[in-house]
Amino acid sequence: CSQAGLVNNLNDGLAWGVFPIYFASQGLGIAQIGLLAAIYPAVWGFGQLVTGGLSDRIGRKWLIAGGMGVQAIAIAMIASTDTMQAWAMASALLGVGTAMVYPTLLAAIGDVAHPEWRASAVGVYRSWRDGGFAVGALMAGVIADVASVEAAIWSVAGLTALSGLVVAVRMYETLDA
């Protein structure tokens, strides 16, 4: 859960730090960039109202692994397309993937942490998850400087896909734990 949380927030570091620069380099204006920046958290925010409850019915593992896969596809779409409509669809898809992952990771921690040490477990998880903002911003910035903004985006897409595979292979279903 901690590695998936870190990578999930690493995506946010990319989305909020690098995507606006990328979109500006592609000729978009501030209003268009603002719209694209708003789509992702809007879909994520409303989507998690559905996915949180869904994870209580169908389980945690595959929503997390699948959400990481959806995020990876969305990030790759941003790097591989060049129209406002495609970027808007990719931003919405990124929101869907994050909605699948974000509340479900916290629920998985709650599933396995005894009430006597649940707050500590959530604190450790949050430290790793929130560290992803800094890791994502630094990693994407370094890769963008050394190679290109597109290389930074592709790197995060690959890392997100790998994280989803790690969850699929290593994580066990926690709902019944």
Side-chain angles (χ1 to χ4, degrees):
C1 287
S2 292
Q3 74 79 23
L6 184 142
V7 173
N8 181 68
N9 279 12
L10 184 144
N11 293 340
D12 290 340
L14 176 79
W16 297 332
V18 174
F19 285 171
I21 295 167
Y22 177 68
F23 295 141
S25 75
Q26 300 301 304
L28 296 186
I30 292 174
Q32 291 172 307
I33 294 168
L35 176 62
L36 291 174
I39 291 170
Y40 164 51
V43 172
W44 162 20
F46 287 111
Q48 68 187 354
L49 295 173
V50 174
T51 59
L54 183 63
S55 79
D56 289 336
R57 290 187 296 285
I58 69 168
R60 319 290 192 210
K61 176 180 178 169
W62 295 110
L63 267 176
I64 296 167
M68 299 299 285
V70 169
Q71 289 175 325
I73 290 167
I75 294 166
M77 282 176 61
I78 288 172
S80 63
T81 59
D82 62 359
T83 67
M84 180 70 181
Q85 294 78 15
W87 289 325
M89 287 178 29
S91 294
L93 193 60
L94 186 58
V96 169
T98 304
M100 293 168 69
V101 172
Y102 205 83
T104 311
L105 284 168
L106 276 170
I109 297 294
D111 290 343
V112 299
H114 188 276
E116 289 182 14
W117 49 270
R118 186 168 294 142
S120 295
V122 169
V124 168
Y125 162 74
R126 290 283 314 262
S127 293
W128 281 101
R129 186 191 77 184
D130 294 348
F133 290 124
V135 171
L138 290 171
M139 184 186 103
V142 167
I143 294 171
D145 281 347
V146 170
S148 68
V149 172
E150 291 85 357
I153 295 170
W154 280 110
S155 296
V156 172
L159 185 59
T160 303
L162 179 62
S163 177
L165 287 173
V166 168
V167 170
V169 171
R170 299 282 302 157
M171 184 177 173
Y172 60 88
E173 179 54 57
T174 63
L175 184 59
D176 299 320

